[in-house]
Amino acid sequence: MSEKCKAKLINFVKKSVFADFIRGLYITFSYNFEGAMTLKYPDSEKWIPYRRFRGLHTLNKNSEGKELCVACELCSRACPTDCITVIPEENDAGRGIADRVAKVWEVDLTRCMFCGYCEDACPTTAVRLGREYELACTTLERGTRSRDELLLPQPVPEALTGGVVAKARFIRSADGIKVVAELGKVRQRKL
Amino acid sequence: MPELGLIIEVVLIFIKVYIVGMILFMLPLPLTWLERKVAGRIQVRLGPHRVGPKGLLQPFADMVKLLLKEDIIPDKADRFLFKLAPLLAMIPAFAVFVAIPVGDTFTIPGIDYVFKLYISDMNVGVLYVLAIGGLGIYGIIFGGWASNSKYSLLGGLRSAAQMISYEVALSFAAIGVVMMSNSLSLVEIVKSQGGGFWNWNLFYLPVGPVWFLIFFIASLAEINRIPFDLPEDEGTLGSGFHTEYSGMRFSFFMLAEYIAMVTISVLAVVFFFGGWMPPIDPATFGIKVPAQIMSVWGIGWFIAKVVVFIYIFMWIRFTLPRYRYDQLMTIGWKILIPVSLITVLVTGLMRIFLT
Ligand code: SF4
Ligand code: SF4
């Protein structure tokens, strides 16, 4: 029997016993036991992203608690959407690592596209994109975040690698909706 | 003055009809939930889980939504037919259940009254089910026509063509069952399969499995489910014949569709899987079990088998893509009908020479 004939015959037998069909059914049935990819966000779970995640900006301090930002304005120059405002001032009281510190450091999140150019441009690694991603707000003022807030410690500490699903609580406040993660209770996500 | 027995009989029939009707009305609630859960499971997601525990109350939320929705009738629609169509789709789906037996008889102990576990044992049950079931297509065609929308009309036309093509194969499968079981009455068909799973029509070798496949494929097409759901092909037709329907009228169509699925599952169980007969009958081993227990046990088996079938229908829905229209016709006319003709011949010869 020629090769072609053989292939045709095999094909016919396969079709008449519904081989491919049964394989498809087997695959979909096996998905039943895999559990769901879906997170119960925002009800009771929250995704903790990896460190590489580019979320809300953070302004950092060094180990002595001094602000790293020297108000050089490089970030605002580098920003493609022009959404960082830096106004420098002189300060000898040791607030920052140099005597030039930022009087105003503001980012307009409604324009920011989280490209990360600002953190690339920063000579002192003062500005970093953090892991906060619940940025929806009900007033336009909340769309602008300024220095005081960005200097606060991060809800997800730097030490945590991320990439896990944490138990979370759903909180409604005047500021909008927040899902607060309990970092102690985490599980790996099925991939 | 009619006798007391007759009056009781009539009253009982009314009660049975009422119970069956109520069950059928309520069935889509768990079925939509189940379908969405099955879909979620198969697609590696959760399905409804926010309304009630495990999302069990989701169908009620859906029902409230459908009830509250505005009932829109398109401006240029044929108002009479437009209103008639959902009813025409729904009523036959209910009417089919008159002939469907869930069990044989139940002798009430003490008063020795024989309670029949079916509404009516017609001697042409198979014909009745097929004929009434086929009427549902009018609802779809009318709905498609009356909406005055090209998508609805195309959906209606498609389903008309599909129904005609597959009704033939389905009827052949029914003929096969009638030949194997030697009766047109659904109760008799089940009784002929008693005694253990090797007596089921499915295992009437070699033709049983072939008949089952023909029946299964044709019925998938009959009830417009994937992979044969061309009448409501979202990709090309909006949603087919019910594109223009909303609110309660739309839910009537959905109701009809779900009940059709249940009907076909029930028919598959009655025709091929021995209805209420348990797979292994204690009587074959000489163990005596009271008849009452056996009939309740049988109803359990019947429901279990039907549920398995419903699951299979859903499972297939979320596994297969949709056929193209010409493929659909090819399968119907060039494969199913010739195969069923040959199988009729083989079954006939087997009946003549083997019995
Ligand atoms: S992330 Fe990009 S767009 Fe946003 S502030 Fe930094 S540089 Fe500008
Ligand atoms: S954040 Fe960095 S780049 Fe921006 S002003 Fe401060 S030191 Fe300069």
Side-chain angles (χ1 to χ4, degrees):
Chain A
M1 207 171 7
S2 74
E3 280 299 304
K4 216 172 158 191
C5 246
K6 219 169 165 183
K8 256 191 178 166
L9 191 70
I10 290 175
N11 204 358
F12 177 75
V13 172
K14 258 190 174 172
K15 260 191 187 160
S16 43
V17 298
F18 298 93
D20 294 337
F21 174 63
I22 288 168
R23 245 202 33 232
L25 283 182
Y26 168 74
I27 289 173
T28 43
F29 194 69
S30 68
Y31 285 156
N32 275 320
F33 306 103
E34 287 202 353
M37 293 267 296
T38 321
L39 308 185
K40 287 182 181 156
Y41 179 82
D43 288 343
S44 60
E45 284 176 337
K46 183 176 178 176
W47 171 245
I48 308 293
Y50 291 98
R51 284 201 200 103
R52 60 173 179 262
F53 188 81
R54 297 203 297 255
L56 177 65
H57 305 63
T58 63
L59 285 175
N60 296 303
K61 296 179 179 169
N62 68 2
S63 48
E64 291 153 33
K66 293 185 170 177
E67 286 174 33
L68 286 169
C69 179
V70 293
C72 64
E73 295 173 53
L74 282 177
C75 50
S76 86
R77 285 292 166 81
C79 178
T81 61
D82 225 357
C83 60
I84 301 181
T85 314
V86 184
I87 299 175
E89 69 176 347
E90 205 176 303
N91 182 309
D92 290 329
R95 206 181 89 195
I97 53 172
D99 55 3
R100 184 180 156 115
V101 294
K103 183 161 135 208
V104 173
W105 198 105
E106 256 181 13
V107 52
D108 184 355
L109 294 174
T110 56
R111 295 223 306 272
C112 173
M113 58 185 180
F114 301 97
C115 61
Y117 277 16
C118 45
E119 57 175 359
D120 276 357
C122 183
T124 61
T125 66
V127 61
R128 279 275 169 272
L129 295 190
R131 291 191 253 188
E132 176 64 36
Y133 54 83
E134 283 157 357
L135 300 175
C137 50
T138 47
T139 55
L140 202 53
E141 288 83 64
R142 279 299 291 162
T144 309
R145 303 287 165 99
S146 61
R147 209 180 57 100
D148 303 328
E149 194 179 338
L150 300 180
L151 273 168
L152 293 176
Q154 288 292 292
V156 182
E158 191 65 22
L160 208 77
T161 325
V164 287
V165 182
K167 281 251 165 299
R169 265 172 314 126
F170 181 78
I171 294 172
R172 220 182 266 275
S173 69
D175 262 359
I177 284 164
K178 276 274 171 275
V179 182
V180 179
E182 292 166 40
L183 293 172
K185 298 175 196 155
V186 296
R187 69 172 169 89
Q188 291 298 317
R189 187 178 190 172
K190 291 194 188 77
L191 288 173
Chain B
M1 184 72 194
E3 316 143 49
L4 191 66
L6 191 68
I7 296 176
I8 290 177
E9 202 72 3
V10 171
V11 169
L12 268 181
I13 284 183
F14 269 106
I15 293 174
K16 277 190 243 178
V17 168
Y18 181 76
I19 291 173
V20 170
M22 276 300 118
I23 290 176
L24 288 181
F25 252 117
M26 289 297 127
L27 256 185
L29 296 178
L31 284 183
T32 45
W33 177 83
L34 188 70
E35 179 141 34
R36 293 171 67 179
K37 269 298 195 207
V38 169
R41 280 283 175 173
I42 284 177
Q43 293 163 357
V44 202
R45 51 189 180 81
L46 287 167
H49 69 279
R50 292 190 70 161
V51 190
K54 299 256 169 218
L56 267 170
L57 299 180
Q58 184 68 42
F60 292 98
D62 289 348
M63 198 170 73
V64 171
K65 184 197 82 172
L66 280 171
L67 281 171
L68 294 180
K69 266 203 166 169
E70 189 187 351
D71 179 21
I72 299 167
I73 300 182
D75 233 4
K76 297 227 172 74
D78 183 330
R79 296 182 74 89
F80 176 66
L81 283 186
F82 191 84
K83 287 178 184 166
L84 188 66
L87 293 179
L88 275 185
M90 194 177 67
I91 290 169
F94 277 79
V96 164
F97 271 81
V98 171
I100 288 190
V102 292
D104 190 8
T105 50
F106 183 83
T107 316
I108 298 168
I111 52 170
D112 273 341
Y113 179 78
V114 180
F115 183 76
K116 299 197 192 77
L117 293 171
Y118 41 82
I119 296 176
S120 138
D121 175 23
M122 288 178 220
N123 52 7
V124 288
V126 176
L127 277 183
Y128 172 82
V129 168
L130 286 182
I132 299 291
L135 281 180
I137 178 67
Y138 280 110
I140 293 177
I141 296 175
F142 283 177
W145 171 255
S147 308
N148 204 348
S149 139
K150 51 183 174 269
Y151 298 120
S152 305
L153 182 59
L154 278 173
L157 285 179
R158 276 186 184 186
S159 73
Q162 183 174 327
M163 284 270 185
I164 290 168
S165 317
Y166 280 83
E167 195 80 47
V168 182
L170 192 70
S171 314
F172 269 125
I175 289 176
V177 173
V178 170
M179 287 169 97
M180 292 189 284
S181 294
N182 238 340
S183 172
L184 271 169
S185 140
L186 292 172
V187 177
E188 287 304 318
I189 287 177
V190 175
K191 279 185 184 162
S192 78
Q193 304 176 56
F197 67 87
W198 51 89
N199 282 349
W200 291 357
N201 277 340
L202 181 71
F203 298 105
Y204 193 88
L205 295 170
V207 287
V210 180
W211 278 131
F212 173 65
L213 279 181
I214 294 171
F215 176 83
F216 192 72
I217 296 171
S219 56
L220 269 179
E222 277 286 300
I223 57 175
N224 294 332
R225 279 189 81 83
I226 278 180
F228 302 110
D229 71 334
L230 286 141
E232 38 190 283
D233 179 352
E234 301 91 5
T236 53
L237 291 183
S239 66
F241 60 88
H242 53 53
T243 308
E244 306 291 343
Y245 281 88
S246 62
M248 263 343 258
R249 288 186 217 285
F250 171 75
S251 61
F252 281 168
F253 275 122
M254 293 314 284
L255 193 70
E257 231 161 82
Y258 276 111
I259 293 176
M261 185 169 76
V262 177
T263 313
I264 290 295
S265 310
V266 167
L267 282 187
V269 167
V270 167
F271 282 175
F272 295 97
F273 287 83
W276 60 85
M277 298 291 179
I280 290 167
D281 196 346
T284 43
F285 303 108
I287 305 165
K288 265 228 147 310
V289 181
Q292 281 87 1
I293 294 180
M294 272 319 276
S295 32
V296 174
W297 180 230
I299 295 177
W301 270 107
F302 183 80
I303 293 171
K305 289 174 193 172
V306 172
V307 168
V308 168
F309 260 94
I310 290 173
Y311 182 81
I312 289 177
F313 278 122
M314 292 176 178
W315 178 14
I316 287 178
R317 170 166 178 193
F318 297 107
T319 302
L320 294 183
R322 197 175 276 126
Y323 277 112
R324 223 169 47 215
Y325 195 65
D326 59 317
Q327 290 171 330
L328 175 91
M329 286 298 159
T330 311
I331 294 172
W333 291 102
K334 289 193 189 160
I335 298 176
L336 283 188
I337 291 177
V339 169
S340 47
L341 281 172
I342 294 168
T343 325
V344 166
L345 194 69
V346 176
T347 319
L349 291 176
M350 279 175 73
R351 297 279 343 164
I352 293 172
F353 293 113
L354 295 186
T355 46

